Amino acid sequence: MAYDTIMVFHDHFKNHILPEKVHILNVSFLVPVMRREYGGCAGNIAYNLKLLGEEPLIMATVGHDFEPYSQWLSQQHLSSQYIRVLDNQYTGQAYITTDEGGNQITAFHPGAMSFSQLQGVPTDGDISIGIVSPDGKDGMMLHAEQFAELDIPFIFDPGQGMPMFNGEELLKLVDQATWVTLNDYESELLQERTGLSLEQLAERVQALIITLGGQGSKIYSQGECTDIPAAQTASISDPTGCGDAYRAGLLYGLMNDLDWPTTGRIASLMGAIKIEQHGTQNHVFSMAEFRQRFHDNFGYTF
């Protein structure tokens, strides 16, 4: 769980950063546009799953400044049952400055996220599926182990947390997971750190999902690769949170026993809907609207 402070610089970073002077970098960007959004992988994925009619449970550690976010979750009818407040920490904070070329400079303060290992996978709930997304390293490893021990299938989604792990640790997490999802850059990094190809990694899980931005995605499963097209967008406003929306679509398809071509297309459409809105939790739709848009994009219904 995190607050995203998003600022827009009305120029290009390259016009103000001298490559030959980066060793003495001292720049200031005027950002007349600023928004504070509710974010973090857990909150974003849960928000999108709720739009799809599911009842997600957020497990996270947050700080003493979490009350506004807590109120937002309540308004969205999202449970805070497994969110733990640490009074001496801040909630995770991302400060993102975007230029007119779509380039971003981000500073991230993990805050309470660094203590995510204080939370354990609940054993008292009717949990059918889980996802381990970027969090504190110890927490990610613990929760993956707990999901495996409880025989709860889960997606391993290392995201921006991948640099924290070495090859041996990543292989252990892959082997514990039921499915793995990555973007194209993360897939290259995983191959480099483990020494395995995508096909070899896919053999260790039920499916390996690779997102490719505007080029759609690929799903490797049972020795086959399924190409998923990108859904059409009315506009492109903000890519932040698109990956989380996509992952919510994956979870929805898995929870409802849909095939991979349909699950991937649901995920693709979720990402397209998100990119049309600023922020990560500002888009809305009814399931009737979603099903109609799915049909308009892909020519069939689910």
Side-chain angles (χ1 to χ4, degrees):
M1 305 295 284
Y3 289 111
D4 293 337
T5 301
I6 301 169
M7 296 158 283
V8 179
F9 175 52
H10 290 161
D11 201 339
H12 292 81
F13 294 139
K14 65 182 181 180
N15 295 334
H16 300 266
I17 298 175
L18 303 175
E20 68 276 12
K21 298 293 184 180
V22 292
H23 62 291
I24 53 170
L25 185 66
N26 186 355
V27 294
S28 176
F29 301 112
L30 178 65
V31 287
V33 177
M34 186 180 84
R35 307 188 314 275
R36 196 182 196 208
E37 306 281 1
Y38 301 117
C41 295
N44 295 343
I45 293 170
Y47 178 84
N48 284 282
L49 264 177
K50 188 70 176 183
L51 289 177
L52 289 167
E54 301 296 344
E55 294 296 332
L57 296 171
I58 299 169
M59 184 175 68
T61 45
V62 300
H64 57 74
D65 55 346
F66 189 67
E67 182 57 27
Y69 204 154
S70 178
Q71 293 177 8
W72 168 254
L73 293 178
S74 179
Q75 292 169 13
Q76 307 309 311
H77 305 290
L78 286 165
S79 172
S80 297
Q81 181 178 359
Y82 300 110
I83 297 176
R84 180 170 176 175
V85 178
L86 304 180
D87 292 332
N88 61 341
Q89 297 291 329
Y90 286 101
T91 301
Q93 313 268 338
Y95 296 91
I96 305 164
T97 303
T98 303
D99 74 358
E100 291 184 339
N103 303 297
Q104 293 184 326
I105 296 175
T106 301
F108 184 73
H109 172 66
M113 184 186 299
S114 298
F115 302 91
S116 59
Q117 70 275 11
L118 299 178
Q119 288 278 72
V121 174
T123 58
D124 58 346
D126 184 20
I127 299 172
S128 62
I129 191 171
I131 183 168
V132 175
S133 285
D135 208 345
K137 178 181 178 180
D138 292 342
M140 291 177 71
M141 297 188 73
L142 174 65
H143 300 150
E145 184 176 331
Q146 291 174 334
F147 275 130
E149 289 176 349
L150 292 168
D151 201 27
I152 298 173
F154 74 95
I155 297 174
F156 176 47
D157 167 32
Q160 63 265 36
M162 185 178 288
M164 297 187 295
F165 302 99
N166 61 36
E168 182 179 347
E169 291 167 335
L170 286 168
L171 270 183
K172 181 179 179 180
L173 288 161
V174 168
D175 287 340
Q176 289 171 329
T178 316
W179 312 276
V180 173
T181 183
L182 312 155
N183 64 27
D184 50 352
Y185 174 78
E186 293 155 3
S187 71
E188 294 291 338
L189 189 57
L190 183 62
Q191 292 177 83
E192 178 185 306
R193 295 210 168 174
T194 62
L196 299 179
S197 66
L198 291 179
E199 291 75 15
Q200 290 172 317
L201 288 163
E203 291 174 356
R204 305 174 87 106
V205 289
Q206 289 188 18
L208 173 67
I209 302 100
I210 311 295
T211 59
L212 304 169
Q215 283 68 55
S217 52
K218 293 181 179 291
I219 300 177
Y220 297 83
S221 180
Q222 298 182 335
E224 297 183 356
C225 177
T226 301
D227 290 312
I228 305 296
Q232 295 179 351
T233 58
S235 61
I236 297 177
S237 296
D238 182 3
T240 309
C242 288
D244 295 330
Y246 183 99
R247 281 144 183 76
L250 292 179
L251 288 166
Y252 177 86
L254 291 166
M255 294 169 69
N256 290 279
D257 298 319
L258 300 175
D259 59 31
W260 281 117
T262 299
T263 295
R265 283 166 171 78
I266 289 172
S268 177
L269 180 54
M270 288 297 293
I273 291 172
K274 165 44 261 343
I275 205 170
E276 293 172 352
Q277 299 292 329
H278 286 292
T280 58
Q281 299 178 32
N282 296 323
H283 52 293
V284 294
F285 57 78
S286 68
M287 278 305 294
E289 291 169 337
F290 185 84
R291 290 179 183 275
Q292 182 60 54
R293 187 161 173 179
F294 183 94
H295 181 270
D296 293 344
N297 267 269
F298 306 116
Y300 71 100
T301 57
F302 63 93

